[in-house]
Amino acid sequence: MATENKNLSEYDKTLIPDASKFRFGIVVSEWNDTITEPLFQGAFDALVDNGVLESNIIRWNVPGSFELIYGAKKMQEQMVNAVIVIGSVIQGETKHFDFVCEGVTQGIKDLNVMRETPVIFCVLTDNTLQQAIDRSGGKHGNKGTEAAIAAIKMAELRKNS
Ligand SMILES: Nc1c(NC[C@H](O)[C@H](O)[C@H](O)CO)[nH]c(=O)[nH]c1=O
Ligand SMILES: CC(=O)[C@@H](O)COP(=O)(O)O
């Protein structure tokens, strides 16, 4: 199902596990911060809306999405139940978009494979700025909200497995 058929901000609180005892690390890319800041706010608000204490949410910034890999790796070493990485990669004139997107995707995948702390992929990879706006609080909702719910569910799965 494409994003255009699903609002990223919608969730049923009755289906979300109790997150009041969980700690979360959020690593935020500074590139395209007009997009990554609303994504962070969406994630932060959703975590708090589901019982997470504000003091149990750690935020670190990194320069760009490619650095999310290292930031997430170091965040996994903190006492957190799950990590969320937040980035916005927007197509430019060159193939750099392809390499950044592939690199971040593979790097975050590797961290999920090699380590115990789940890392949630909240990295928008858009053709245009408008597509990014639409997915960071615009007409399609906020992917940060979606990522927060995924983080809670994966923290619960880790606790029970
Ligand atoms: N063009 C975008 C970048 N590029 C920067 C890289 O992520 C990285 O910081 C740099 O190559 C140094 O290692 N980053 C984004 O997050 N979004 C972009 O659109
Ligand atoms: C994803 C990028 O690195 C890209 O936005 C940079 O733009 P350009 O390809 O025009 O250098």
Side-chain angles (χ1 to χ4, degrees):
M1 176 188 290
T3 297
E4 64 183 357
N5 302 318
K6 168 189 178 344
N7 187 290
L8 297 166
S9 296
E10 292 174 355
Y11 59 89
D12 180 349
K13 285 187 76 169
T14 66
L15 302 178
I16 312 299
D18 173 22
S20 59
K21 294 184 174 54
F22 287 152
R23 298 186 77 236
F24 294 93
I26 306 180
V27 186
V28 184
S29 164
E30 294 168 343
W31 252 83
N32 296 321
D33 59 2
T34 59
I35 302 300
T36 60
E37 286 304 323
L39 289 173
F40 169 78
Q41 201 59 53
F44 184 91
D45 292 346
L47 291 174
V48 172
D49 184 48
N50 285 279
V52 179
L53 301 178
E54 293 190 21
S55 57
N56 282 340
I57 300 171
I58 307 168
R59 172 179 172 163
W60 291 346
N61 291 347
V62 294
S65 289
F66 192 81
E67 285 74 41
L68 290 172
I69 303 165
Y70 183 82
K73 183 182 80 169
K74 301 305 288 183
M75 184 65 84
Q76 285 180 310
E77 297 168 2
Q78 308 304 308
M79 294 298 290
V80 294
N81 298 94
V83 177
I84 300 171
V85 293
I86 293 178
S88 169
V89 192
I90 299 175
Q91 178 66 62
E93 296 176 347
T94 72
K95 290 178 63 68
H96 197 231
F97 172 87
D98 300 332
F99 294 106
V100 170
C101 292
E102 180 67 14
V104 177
T105 303
Q106 293 304 318
I108 299 303
K109 178 266 292 179
D110 291 345
L111 293 177
N112 277 288
V113 170
M114 295 185 294
R115 301 211 172 160
E116 283 305 302
T117 304
V119 183
I120 306 304
F121 189 78
C122 183
V123 180
L124 295 179
T125 54
D126 299 296
N127 298 310
T128 64
L129 177 59
Q130 187 58 52
Q131 287 179 349
I133 291 168
D134 291 345
R135 290 156 175 79
S136 55
K139 67 180 180 180
H140 293 318
N142 191 320
K143 195 156 187 73
T145 304
E146 178 197 51
I149 301 308
I152 293 170
K153 291 179 176 179
M154 292 309 292
E156 181 75 3
L157 183 147
R158 176 190 183 193
K159 183 184 73 167
N160 297 333
S161 62

